[in-house]
Amino acid sequence: MSKRITPFASQYCSTLDRLKEAIRRKRPGLLRRGVVLQHDNATPHSANLTQQWLQRYGWEILPHPAHSPDLAPSDFHLFGPLKRHLGGMAFETEDDLISELRNWFDNLDVDFFRVGINLLLTRWQKCIDLHGDYVEK
C-alpha cells in the first residue's frame, strides 16, 4: 500500500464533511470567508484523498512540524483539564463514559476554547523563535 493511500482517509474525509456541515449550520459566513484547519501529519491527513477534499473546498491548512504535539491545542489545553475532570471516576459502560464526556464538553464555556486558540498563536511564535524545536522544554 502506498504511503499516500490509507483506508482511514475516507473516514477522515467523512469527518471533514460533518465538520463542514456543522460550520455551515453554526457559522455560515465562515465557509464563504475561508476555513483554516490545523491537523498533524498523520497519514489520513496527508493522503491524496484528503488533499483533494481540502482543495475542492478551498480550506487552508496550517503547516504542522513533525513530532510537535506541543502545537496541538488538544494536547496543551484540552487533555489536562479533561484528565483532571475524569480523575477517579469509574464507568460501568462505554455509554456512561460518552455521556460524561458530552456533559463535560457541553458545560465548557466558550472562553475555554478561545483561550486555547489564543495560546496557539503564542506557541506558534515560540516554535518559530526556536527554529522549529519543541515549545515545551
Side-chain angles (χ1 to χ4, degrees):
M1 183 180 298
S2 166
K3 181 182 176 206
R4 305 283 296 169
I5 298 173
T6 170
F8 299 109
S10 62
Q11 184 178 359
Y12 186 62
C13 288
S14 294
T15 299
L16 291 173
D17 283 332
R18 290 192 305 276
L19 175 60
K20 185 168 115 350
E21 179 58 24
I23 293 170
R24 187 193 62 73
R25 281 191 331 269
K26 297 176 182 181
R27 305 274 309 272
L30 186 59
L31 289 175
R32 285 188 298 280
R33 288 192 310 271
V35 173
V36 179
L37 179 68
Q38 179 187 8
H39 59 199
D40 61 20
N41 300 314
T43 304
H45 303 166
S46 61
N48 288 331
L49 183 65
T50 302
Q51 296 306 307
Q52 290 167 3
W53 190 102
L54 295 167
Q55 281 185 319
R56 182 175 343 126
Y57 295 109
W59 287 22
E60 180 183 348
I61 301 300
L62 284 176
H64 193 279
H67 312 294
S68 295
D70 49 346
L71 292 178
S74 55
D75 288 331
F76 70 76
H77 188 67
L78 175 66
F79 293 148
L82 179 58
K83 184 178 177 181
R84 285 189 293 279
H85 174 75
L86 295 175
M89 292 184 182
F91 302 95
E92 295 291 323
T93 68
E94 185 177 323
D95 287 342
D96 291 343
L97 171 60
I98 291 169
S99 177
E100 182 59 33
L101 289 170
R102 284 188 175 139
N103 183 52
W104 187 75
F105 277 105
D106 287 346
N107 286 300
L108 286 176
D109 187 75
V110 69
D111 284 335
F112 176 84
F113 299 100
R114 186 173 293 123
V115 166
I117 297 301
N118 287 335
L119 284 171
L120 178 60
L121 300 173
T122 303
R123 295 173 81 86
W124 263 101
Q125 187 59 55
K126 190 171 183 182
C127 181
I128 291 167
D129 295 344
L130 293 169
H131 307 287
D133 203 358
Y134 284 108
V135 173
E136 292 294 320
K137 281 216 162 233

